[in-house]
Amino acid sequence: MAPPPPGKLAGTAKVGDRGQIVIPKDMRDMFGIVPGDTLLLLADVTRGIAVLRNDDFVHLAETVLDAQKDRSDDA
């Protein structure tokens, strides 16, 4: 089997009795996820579950809010 394209991975995870999953190591490494990190889970009934590093989401939100503030300051 050919290796996946750069920046792409696929894997599986079993759900334990307590609803926990283990993120495969290669994926944790790809995204810099380390023990103690907080992850944000977003769910959509038709599209599935997305897992994001909370820090990345906070950075995105701050960037959007700062851009909106700059825009209103220019008006």
Side-chain angles (χ1 to χ4, degrees):
M1 181 194 266
K8 308 275 186 189
L9 291 172
T12 62
K14 287 190 178 185
V15 178
D17 293 339
R18 294 177 47 202
Q20 297 171 318
I21 62 168
V22 174
I23 301 169
K25 183 176 181 347
D26 53 357
M27 293 181 188
R28 293 191 316 266
D29 291 346
M30 177 185 277
F31 291 98
I33 297 170
V34 297
D37 280 352
T38 298
L39 302 178
L40 174 66
L41 283 75
L42 303 172
D44 180 283
V45 109
T46 57
R47 297 179 74 189
I49 299 172
V51 180
L52 308 153
R53 289 185 67 226
N54 192 60
D55 294 344
D56 293 337
F57 181 77
V58 168
H59 177 71
L60 172 65
E62 288 172 345
T63 300
V64 169
L65 291 173
D66 287 347
Q68 291 300 316
K69 181 179 178 278
D70 292 343
R71 228 175 148 190
S72 65
D73 289 347
D74 292 341

